[in-house]
Each structure stands twice: as C-alpha cells, then as structure tokens.
mmCIF file of all heavy atoms in Angstrom:
data_model
loop_
_atom_site.group_PDB
_atom_site.id
_atom_site.type_symbol
_atom_site.label_atom_id
_atom_site.label_comp_id
_atom_site.label_asym_id
_atom_site.label_seq_id
_atom_site.Cartn_x
_atom_site.Cartn_y
_atom_site.Cartn_z
ATOM 1 N N VAL A 1 16.851 -22.307 -1.653
ATOM 2 C CA VAL A 1 16.785 -23.765 -1.803
ATOM 3 C C VAL A 1 17.771 -24.201 -2.884
ATOM 4 O O VAL A 1 17.770 -23.659 -3.991
ATOM 5 C CB VAL A 1 15.346 -24.207 -2.170
ATOM 6 C CG1 VAL A 1 15.258 -25.706 -2.312
ATOM 7 C CG2 VAL A 1 14.357 -23.706 -1.123
ATOM 8 N N GLY A 2 18.601 -25.183 -2.539
ATOM 9 C CA GLY A 2 19.577 -25.709 -3.482
ATOM 10 C C GLY A 2 18.929 -26.587 -4.527
ATOM 11 O O GLY A 2 17.747 -26.942 -4.418
ATOM 12 N N PRO A 3 19.668 -26.982 -5.562
ATOM 13 C CA PRO A 3 19.112 -27.796 -6.645
ATOM 14 C C PRO A 3 18.647 -29.173 -6.169
ATOM 15 O O PRO A 3 17.775 -29.775 -6.787
ATOM 16 C CB PRO A 3 20.269 -27.922 -7.637
ATOM 17 C CG PRO A 3 21.487 -27.533 -6.897
ATOM 18 C CD PRO A 3 21.068 -26.652 -5.771
ATOM 19 N N ASP A 4 19.172 -29.632 -5.032
ATOM 20 C CA ASP A 4 18.764 -30.929 -4.476
ATOM 21 C C ASP A 4 17.558 -30.805 -3.545
ATOM 22 O O ASP A 4 17.114 -31.785 -2.971
ATOM 23 C CB ASP A 4 19.935 -31.581 -3.738
ATOM 24 C CG ASP A 4 20.439 -30.735 -2.572
ATOM 25 O OD1 ASP A 4 19.966 -29.584 -2.399
ATOM 26 O OD2 ASP A 4 21.328 -31.219 -1.834
ATOM 27 N N GLY A 5 17.025 -29.585 -3.367
ATOM 28 C CA GLY A 5 15.876 -29.365 -2.501
ATOM 29 C C GLY A 5 16.238 -29.012 -1.068
ATOM 30 O O GLY A 5 15.362 -28.707 -0.261
ATOM 31 N N ALA A 6 17.516 -29.025 -0.746
ATOM 32 C CA ALA A 6 17.953 -28.696 0.609
ATOM 33 C C ALA A 6 17.848 -27.188 0.841
ATOM 34 O O ALA A 6 18.198 -26.393 -0.031
ATOM 35 C CB ALA A 6 19.391 -29.150 0.828
ATOM 36 N N VAL A 7 17.352 -26.811 2.017
ATOM 37 C CA VAL A 7 17.246 -25.394 2.362
ATOM 38 C C VAL A 7 18.618 -24.893 2.788
ATOM 39 O O VAL A 7 19.197 -25.383 3.757
ATOM 40 C CB VAL A 7 16.205 -25.173 3.480
ATOM 41 C CG1 VAL A 7 16.167 -23.716 3.899
ATOM 42 C CG2 VAL A 7 14.830 -25.621 3.022
ATOM 43 N N LEU A 8 19.153 -23.920 2.036
ATOM 44 C CA LEU A 8 20.467 -23.358 2.305
ATOM 45 C C LEU A 8 20.401 -22.187 3.288
ATOM 46 O O LEU A 8 21.356 -21.902 3.990
ATOM 47 C CB LEU A 8 21.129 -22.884 1.010
ATOM 48 C CG LEU A 8 21.254 -23.927 -0.104
ATOM 49 C CD1 LEU A 8 21.785 -23.289 -1.380
ATOM 50 C CD2 LEU A 8 22.132 -25.070 0.346
ATOM 51 N N GLN A 9 19.235 -21.500 3.308
ATOM 52 C CA GLN A 9 19.049 -20.357 4.203
ATOM 53 C C GLN A 9 17.568 -20.088 4.369
ATOM 54 O O GLN A 9 16.787 -20.232 3.425
ATOM 55 C CB GLN A 9 19.734 -19.114 3.615
ATOM 56 C CG GLN A 9 19.567 -17.868 4.458
ATOM 57 C CD GLN A 9 20.169 -16.629 3.809
ATOM 58 O OE1 GLN A 9 20.690 -16.679 2.695
ATOM 59 N NE2 GLN A 9 20.113 -15.506 4.492
ATOM 60 N N SER A 10 17.182 -19.685 5.556
ATOM 61 C CA SER A 10 15.817 -19.232 5.832
ATOM 62 C C SER A 10 15.904 -17.914 6.569
ATOM 63 O O SER A 10 16.742 -17.762 7.452
ATOM 64 C CB SER A 10 15.067 -20.229 6.713
ATOM 65 O OG SER A 10 14.808 -21.414 6.022
ATOM 66 N N LEU A 11 15.059 -16.987 6.184
ATOM 67 C CA LEU A 11 14.986 -15.748 6.945
ATOM 68 C C LEU A 11 13.565 -15.230 6.936
ATOM 69 O O LEU A 11 12.796 -15.506 6.018
ATOM 70 C CB LEU A 11 15.982 -14.706 6.440
ATOM 71 C CG LEU A 11 15.858 -14.139 5.035
ATOM 72 C CD1 LEU A 11 15.103 -12.828 5.059
ATOM 73 C CD2 LEU A 11 17.246 -13.876 4.495
ATOM 74 N N GLU A 12 13.219 -14.540 7.998
ATOM 75 C CA GLU A 12 11.904 -13.922 8.118
ATOM 76 C C GLU A 12 12.088 -12.460 8.449
ATOM 77 O O GLU A 12 13.031 -12.090 9.149
ATOM 78 C CB GLU A 12 11.080 -14.603 9.210
ATOM 79 C CG GLU A 12 10.560 -15.953 8.812
ATOM 80 C CD GLU A 12 9.547 -16.510 9.801
ATOM 81 O OE1 GLU A 12 9.083 -15.764 10.691
ATOM 82 O OE2 GLU A 12 9.218 -17.696 9.667
ATOM 83 N N THR A 13 11.185 -11.650 7.940
ATOM 84 C CA THR A 13 11.196 -10.227 8.233
ATOM 85 C C THR A 13 9.757 -9.736 8.223
ATOM 86 O O THR A 13 8.835 -10.497 7.925
ATOM 87 C CB THR A 13 12.074 -9.454 7.220
ATOM 88 O OG1 THR A 13 12.224 -8.109 7.676
ATOM 89 C CG2 THR A 13 11.495 -9.476 5.820
ATOM 90 N N GLN A 14 9.586 -8.485 8.573
ATOM 91 C CA GLN A 14 8.268 -7.857 8.515
ATOM 92 C C GLN A 14 8.389 -6.562 7.735
ATOM 93 O O GLN A 14 9.421 -5.884 7.789
ATOM 94 C CB GLN A 14 7.752 -7.553 9.926
ATOM 95 C CG GLN A 14 7.465 -8.808 10.729
ATOM 96 C CD GLN A 14 6.962 -8.473 12.114
ATOM 97 O OE1 GLN A 14 7.205 -7.412 12.652
ATOM 98 N NE2 GLN A 14 6.237 -9.412 12.703
ATOM 99 N N VAL A 15 7.311 -6.237 7.024
ATOM 100 C CA VAL A 15 7.262 -4.991 6.267
ATOM 101 C C VAL A 15 6.066 -4.200 6.796
ATOM 102 O O VAL A 15 4.964 -4.741 6.919
ATOM 103 C CB VAL A 15 7.113 -5.250 4.750
ATOM 104 C CG1 VAL A 15 7.123 -3.942 3.976
ATOM 105 C CG2 VAL A 15 8.210 -6.176 4.254
ATOM 106 N N THR A 16 6.314 -2.936 7.111
ATOM 107 C CA THR A 16 5.265 -2.069 7.648
ATOM 108 C C THR A 16 5.147 -0.844 6.766
ATOM 109 O O THR A 16 6.157 -0.224 6.417
ATOM 110 C CB THR A 16 5.614 -1.645 9.097
ATOM 111 O OG1 THR A 16 5.834 -2.814 9.883
ATOM 112 C CG2 THR A 16 4.490 -0.830 9.716
ATOM 113 N N SER A 17 3.922 -0.494 6.409
ATOM 114 C CA SER A 17 3.694 0.667 5.550
ATOM 115 C C SER A 17 3.436 1.905 6.404
ATOM 116 O O SER A 17 2.860 1.818 7.490
ATOM 117 C CB SER A 17 2.477 0.413 4.648
ATOM 118 O OG SER A 17 2.217 1.548 3.852
ATOM 119 N N ASN A 18 3.837 3.061 5.884
ATOM 120 C CA ASN A 18 3.539 4.306 6.590
ATOM 121 C C ASN A 18 2.290 4.990 6.032
ATOM 122 O O ASN A 18 1.972 6.104 6.442
ATOM 123 C CB ASN A 18 4.749 5.247 6.570
ATOM 124 C CG ASN A 18 5.194 5.604 5.175
ATOM 125 O OD1 ASN A 18 4.659 5.101 4.187
ATOM 126 N ND2 ASN A 18 6.180 6.475 5.075
ATOM 127 N N VAL A 19 1.595 4.334 5.087
ATOM 128 C CA VAL A 19 0.324 4.830 4.550
ATOM 129 C C VAL A 19 -0.622 3.648 4.313
ATOM 130 O O VAL A 19 -0.184 2.517 4.145
ATOM 131 C CB VAL A 19 0.497 5.609 3.216
ATOM 132 C CG1 VAL A 19 1.279 6.885 3.428
ATOM 133 C CG2 VAL A 19 1.150 4.757 2.168
ATOM 134 N N ASP A 20 -1.912 3.941 4.308
ATOM 135 C CA ASP A 20 -2.913 2.933 3.956
ATOM 136 C C ASP A 20 -3.043 2.847 2.443
ATOM 137 O O ASP A 20 -2.750 3.812 1.724
ATOM 138 C CB ASP A 20 -4.295 3.320 4.509
ATOM 139 C CG ASP A 20 -4.433 3.059 5.986
ATOM 140 O OD1 ASP A 20 -3.853 2.082 6.488
ATOM 141 O OD2 ASP A 20 -5.142 3.842 6.649
ATOM 142 N N GLN A 21 -3.541 1.717 1.967
ATOM 143 C CA GLN A 21 -3.737 1.554 0.538
ATOM 144 C C GLN A 21 -4.843 2.475 0.022
ATOM 145 O O GLN A 21 -4.968 2.675 -1.173
ATOM 146 C CB GLN A 21 -4.041 0.107 0.191
ATOM 147 C CG GLN A 21 -4.039 -0.119 -1.308
ATOM 148 C CD GLN A 21 -3.959 -1.561 -1.696
ATOM 149 O OE1 GLN A 21 -3.533 -2.397 -0.928
ATOM 150 N NE2 GLN A 21 -4.380 -1.860 -2.904
ATOM 151 N N SER A 22 -5.598 3.076 0.912
ATOM 152 C CA SER A 22 -6.672 3.976 0.481
ATOM 153 C C SER A 22 -6.141 5.220 -0.227
ATOM 154 O O SER A 22 -6.916 5.996 -0.780
ATOM 155 C CB SER A 22 -7.527 4.391 1.684
ATOM 156 O OG SER A 22 -6.726 5.083 2.628
ATOM 157 N N ILE A 23 -4.819 5.418 -0.254
ATOM 158 C CA ILE A 23 -4.267 6.548 -1.023
ATOM 159 C C ILE A 23 -4.316 6.268 -2.520
ATOM 160 O O ILE A 23 -4.162 7.177 -3.322
ATOM 161 C CB ILE A 23 -2.819 6.873 -0.604
ATOM 162 C CG1 ILE A 23 -1.885 5.735 -0.972
ATOM 163 C CG2 ILE A 23 -2.720 7.247 0.853
ATOM 164 C CD1 ILE A 23 -0.442 6.149 -1.105
ATOM 165 N N LEU A 24 -4.506 4.984 -2.888
ATOM 166 C CA LEU A 24 -4.549 4.620 -4.307
ATOM 167 C C LEU A 24 -5.924 4.884 -4.894
ATOM 168 O O LEU A 24 -6.940 4.761 -4.212
ATOM 169 C CB LEU A 24 -4.228 3.130 -4.481
ATOM 170 C CG LEU A 24 -2.804 2.704 -4.213
ATOM 171 C CD1 LEU A 24 -2.685 1.186 -4.331
ATOM 172 C CD2 LEU A 24 -1.846 3.382 -5.167
ATOM 173 N N PRO A 25 -5.967 5.197 -6.188
ATOM 174 C CA PRO A 25 -7.274 5.310 -6.837
ATOM 175 C C PRO A 25 -7.923 3.927 -6.947
ATOM 176 O O PRO A 25 -7.236 2.905 -6.950
ATOM 177 C CB PRO A 25 -6.953 5.887 -8.220
ATOM 178 C CG PRO A 25 -5.524 5.593 -8.448
ATOM 179 C CD PRO A 25 -4.872 5.477 -7.098
ATOM 180 N N ALA A 26 -9.235 3.893 -7.042
ATOM 181 C CA ALA A 26 -9.968 2.625 -7.143
ATOM 182 C C ALA A 26 -9.698 1.933 -8.476
ATOM 183 O O ALA A 26 -9.714 0.709 -8.558
ATOM 184 C CB ALA A 26 -11.462 2.868 -6.964
ATOM 185 N N LYS A 27 -9.452 2.699 -9.514
ATOM 186 C CA LYS A 27 -9.175 2.151 -10.840
ATOM 187 C C LYS A 27 -7.898 2.788 -11.385
ATOM 188 O O LYS A 27 -7.562 3.916 -11.027
ATOM 189 C CB LYS A 27 -10.332 2.455 -11.800
ATOM 190 C CG LYS A 27 -11.631 1.795 -11.420
ATOM 191 C CD LYS A 27 -12.722 2.166 -12.385
ATOM 192 C CE LYS A 27 -14.027 1.545 -11.927
ATOM 193 N NZ LYS A 27 -15.149 2.014 -12.704
ATOM 194 N N ALA A 28 -7.241 2.049 -12.272
ATOM 195 C CA ALA A 28 -6.032 2.576 -12.906
ATOM 196 C C ALA A 28 -6.338 3.884 -13.625
ATOM 197 O O ALA A 28 -7.377 4.016 -14.277
ATOM 198 C CB ALA A 28 -5.479 1.562 -13.888
ATOM 199 N N LEU A 29 -5.442 4.855 -13.494
ATOM 200 C CA LEU A 29 -5.647 6.145 -14.150
ATOM 201 C C LEU A 29 -5.273 6.102 -15.618
ATOM 202 O O LEU A 29 -5.733 6.923 -16.408
ATOM 203 C CB LEU A 29 -4.823 7.227 -13.449
ATOM 204 C CG LEU A 29 -5.129 7.432 -11.957
ATOM 205 C CD1 LEU A 29 -4.251 8.544 -11.401
ATOM 206 C CD2 LEU A 29 -6.592 7.734 -11.748
ATOM 207 N N VAL A 30 -4.423 5.136 -15.980
ATOM 208 C CA VAL A 30 -3.982 5.007 -17.369
ATOM 209 C C VAL A 30 -4.147 3.558 -17.814
ATOM 210 O O VAL A 30 -4.177 2.636 -17.005
ATOM 211 C CB VAL A 30 -2.523 5.454 -17.547
ATOM 212 C CG1 VAL A 30 -2.381 6.948 -17.286
ATOM 213 C CG2 VAL A 30 -1.592 4.668 -16.668
ATOM 214 N N VAL A 31 -4.257 3.375 -19.133
ATOM 215 C CA VAL A 31 -4.392 2.035 -19.707
ATOM 216 C C VAL A 31 -3.524 1.922 -20.951
ATOM 217 O O VAL A 31 -3.215 2.918 -21.604
ATOM 218 C CB VAL A 31 -5.870 1.716 -20.071
ATOM 219 C CG1 VAL A 31 -6.733 1.616 -18.826
ATOM 220 C CG2 VAL A 31 -6.440 2.742 -21.034
ATOM 221 N N GLY A 32 -3.157 0.702 -21.271
ATOM 222 C CA GLY A 32 -2.443 0.437 -22.510
ATOM 223 C C GLY A 32 -0.973 0.798 -22.466
ATOM 224 O O GLY A 32 -0.493 1.417 -21.522
ATOM 225 N N PRO A 33 -0.265 0.410 -23.532
ATOM 226 C CA PRO A 33 1.182 0.632 -23.584
ATOM 227 C C PRO A 33 1.559 2.109 -23.692
ATOM 228 O O PRO A 33 2.660 2.492 -23.336
ATOM 229 C CB PRO A 33 1.621 -0.147 -24.822
ATOM 230 C CG PRO A 33 0.393 -0.278 -25.652
ATOM 231 C CD PRO A 33 -0.764 -0.306 -24.698
ATOM 232 N N GLY A 34 0.640 2.939 -24.138
ATOM 233 C CA GLY A 34 0.917 4.372 -24.277
ATOM 234 C C GLY A 34 0.478 5.183 -23.076
ATOM 235 O O GLY A 34 0.521 6.411 -23.096
ATOM 236 N N TYR A 35 0.047 4.509 -22.022
ATOM 237 C CA TYR A 35 -0.445 5.184 -20.813
ATOM 238 C C TYR A 35 -1.537 6.205 -21.150
ATOM 239 O O TYR A 35 -1.504 7.350 -20.721
ATOM 240 C CB TYR A 35 0.698 5.859 -20.038
ATOM 241 C CG TYR A 35 1.561 4.882 -19.287
ATOM 242 C CD1 TYR A 35 2.718 4.363 -19.851
ATOM 243 C CD2 TYR A 35 1.214 4.458 -18.014
ATOM 244 C CE1 TYR A 35 3.518 3.452 -19.167
ATOM 245 C CE2 TYR A 35 1.998 3.548 -17.307
ATOM 246 C CZ TYR A 35 3.144 3.060 -17.891
ATOM 247 O OH TYR A 35 3.915 2.160 -17.201
ATOM 248 N N ASP A 36 -2.512 5.759 -21.958
ATOM 249 C CA ASP A 36 -3.645 6.617 -22.286
ATOM 250 C C ASP A 36 -4.538 6.764 -21.064
ATOM 251 O O ASP A 36 -4.612 5.876 -20.220
ATOM 252 C CB ASP A 36 -4.459 5.993 -23.436
ATOM 253 C CG ASP A 36 -3.651 5.882 -24.713
ATOM 254 O OD1 ASP A 36 -2.886 6.813 -25.013
ATOM 255 O OD2 ASP A 36 -3.784 4.852 -25.410
ATOM 256 N N LYS A 37 -5.235 7.892 -20.987
ATOM 257 C CA LYS A 37 -6.162 8.104 -19.868
ATOM 258 C C LYS A 37 -7.212 6.994 -19.879
ATOM 259 O O LYS A 37 -7.753 6.643 -20.933
ATOM 260 C CB LYS A 37 -6.859 9.451 -19.998
ATOM 261 C CG LYS A 37 -5.945 10.627 -19.759
ATOM 262 C CD LYS A 37 -6.722 11.930 -19.908
ATOM 263 C CE LYS A 37 -5.833 13.122 -19.714
ATOM 264 N NZ LYS A 37 -6.552 14.385 -19.901
ATOM 265 N N ASN A 38 -7.504 6.477 -18.705
ATOM 266 C CA ASN A 38 -8.514 5.429 -18.570
ATOM 267 C C ASN A 38 -9.897 6.063 -18.766
ATOM 268 O O ASN A 38 -10.303 6.926 -17.987
ATOM 269 C CB ASN A 38 -8.405 4.786 -17.185
ATOM 270 C CG ASN A 38 -9.343 3.617 -17.001
ATOM 271 O OD1 ASN A 38 -10.266 3.395 -17.777
ATOM 272 N ND2 ASN A 38 -9.111 2.852 -15.947
#
C-alpha cells in the first residue's frame, strides 16, 4: 500500500506444513533471557 492508501500490489499464496504442531512441547522448555530450564 502506497502512502496515499492506493494498493500497489496484491498477492495471495498458501503455506502448507509437513508436520503437525503436536511436535511442539505444551510449554516452553526454557524461560528468561538466559534460556534457563523452565
């Protein structure tokens, strides 16, 4: 979008994952700026 609000370009795409989010842990494994164990 240009500074005047005019649309200069539009594009659409799709993203497909090769894994489910269930590979992630339920809670963060580390916390804080030092990446301490949660």
